[in-house]
Amino acid sequence: GLGAWHYSEETNRMIRSSRAYWALADAASAALRVSVADAETAHELAARALRSGLGPVARPAPQEVSCFGRTFASPIGVAAGFDKRGELVDALAEMGFGFVEVGGVTPEPQPGNERPRIFRLPEDGAIINRVGLPSEGVEVVAARLAARRSKSCVVGVNCAKQNAVDDYAVVAKGVARVADFVVVNASCPNVRGGVVADVADVSRALTLAKRACDCPVLVKISPDLGHDDLRRLVRALRRGGADGVVVANTTKTRPGLRSAHAGETGGLSGAPLAARTRRLVAEVFALSHGALPIVGVGGVATAEDAYALVRAGATLVQLYTALVYRGPSRALSLHADLAALAQADGFA
């Protein structure tokens, strides 16, 4: 039974940090993926296990990185969408992640689009989602984050637009006391108006969010921007005092997919985005002359993927889809292998 979970905290953590337990967690993740057809239901079951304290625990192996005035125990974090409700930060911190981007979070509760709305593309190592920003609203999420135990894991909040550009500031203000940074999500492809195409509107959203909170404000951009649009946007972000940029969101494009669900509408994430993300990170780095800290996200499944983004100009990297296909131990292997790659290049 679950008698082990009534042992001392030290014994509990020792059990959950063992190699056998990590292997068990991977097996459970694979079983959910194979046996539960609806991807969102499988994710909810996994989240329930993590909330119950059944997640694996990584032994401390800090790889400290400083970025936009914050210190991260690891440069590897979890992208927005994995923990929409702000209920998994403690569990993800125990798994060794240096930061979690919670959300997207909207000012008021909303249900999102009809289910099914998340589709696995296993042959492509990808996911298509059109969840439509389901959220419990900023007040509920902020209260939950205030009650979290882990203070070592940096927490960002993805601020989403519900009706108007002012919504970003409403969320930023609502989480100002519990978030280490906020992200203006100006690039969600799954809701009407979620991709803010007008650079002036992005600038206004950034300005309002910065006025609403004292923490760093980043902007999450679309991977589908052309060079001229990207150049104008980067210039506006620098002028507007953005503290960083998240590169990038899911894409509307369908680059050579083979899976049965390839025709579903929504944003595509996972392996097909890897090369595009590297190019976009390098482009943003060049256009900003290295002045904008970059969080690279899209197609990160291995340490080589993560390190390629770092070499292209990213300071931090995020993953999500790889956890679905590779299991929780992806966090362990990424930390160890990324450190080895950096060391081989002469970095401590």
Side-chain angles (χ1 to χ4, degrees), residues 280-298:
L280 196 56
V281 166
E283 201 169 357
V284 170
F285 185 84
L287 288 169
S288 69
H289 304 287
L292 280 176
I294 297 171
V295 182
V297 54

Side-chain angles (χ1 to χ4, degrees), residues 10-11 13 39 89 161 176 186 192 204 207 244 254 268 290 320 340:
E10 182 179 356
T11 301
R13 293 181 66 84
V89 173
K161 175 183 171 184
R192 185 185 299 274
R204 181 165 178 262
T207 299
R254 298 293 184 266
L268 175 73
Y320 178 169

Side-chain angles (χ1 to χ4, degrees), residues 4 79 85 152 173 199 233 271 325:
R85 301 173 178 176
S152 62
K173 182 177 181 179
V199 171
L233 180 57
Y325 289 110

Side-chain angles (χ1 to χ4, degrees), residues 70-329:
R70 299 291 184 263
T71 299
F72 297 75
S74 165
I76 301 170
V78 179
F82 191 92
D83 182 13
K84 292 182 176 297
R85 301 173 178 176
E87 60 189 359
L88 304 178
V89 173
D90 291 329
L92 293 170
E94 285 189 328
M95 289 168 59
F97 289 106
F99 65 108
V100 178
E101 186 178 333
V102 170
V105 179
T106 55
E108 300 294 333
Q110 65 178 27
N113 295 327
E114 291 185 7
R115 297 173 69 158
R117 52 193 183 180
I118 302 178
F119 305 90
R120 304 186 193 99
L121 282 68
E123 291 85 358
D124 302 294
I127 287 174
I128 290 174
N129 91 81
R130 53 169 181 264
V131 293
L133 293 172
S135 175
E136 294 178 298
V138 65
E139 185 175 342
V140 171
V141 174
R144 195 173 285 131
L145 290 176
R148 74 184 191 273
R149 300 188 311 276
S150 174
K151 303 302 179 184
S152 62
C153 182
V154 175
V155 174
V157 172
N158 184 287
C159 306
K161 175 183 171 184
Q162 195 161 29
N163 297 302
V165 171
D166 295 14
D167 291 344
Y168 298 114
V170 173
V171 178
K173 182 177 181 179
V175 299
R177 295 185 178 181
V178 295
D180 297 301
F181 67 94
V182 298
V183 179
V184 172
N185 184 358
S187 54
C188 179
N190 300 318
V191 293
R192 185 185 299 274
V195 177
V196 183
D198 191 324
V199 171
D201 284 343
V202 177
S203 296
R204 181 165 178 262
L206 172 62
T207 299
L208 293 175
K210 287 181 70 69
R211 289 175 183 168
C213 67
D214 294 328
C215 61
V217 179
L218 287 67
V219 175
K220 189 167 188 175
I221 67 173
S222 168
D224 301 330
L225 293 171
H227 178 76
D228 289 343
D229 288 337
L230 182 63
R231 177 174 50 80
R232 285 190 288 269
L233 180 57
V234 169
R235 183 187 300 137
L237 296 183
R238 291 192 64 187
R239 288 176 175 172
D243 295 289
V245 57
V246 181
V247 182
N249 216 315
T250 57
T251 178
K252 291 183 178 181
T253 65
R254 298 293 184 266
L257 303 180
R258 298 172 292 133
S259 301
H261 288 301
E264 293 289 347
T265 59
L268 175 73
S269 64
L273 275 70
R276 178 184 302 212
T277 303
R278 286 194 297 271
R279 289 195 301 270
L280 196 56
V281 166
E283 201 169 357
V284 170
F285 185 84
L287 288 169
S288 69
H289 304 287
L292 280 176
I294 297 171
V295 182
V297 54
V300 177
T302 67
E304 288 77 14
D305 295 329
Y307 196 52
L309 293 184
V310 173
R311 294 292 300 268
T315 303
L316 304 169
V317 296
Q318 294 176 323
L319 68 158
Y320 178 169
T321 304
L323 291 173
V324 174
Y325 289 110
R326 310 277 184 119
S329 69

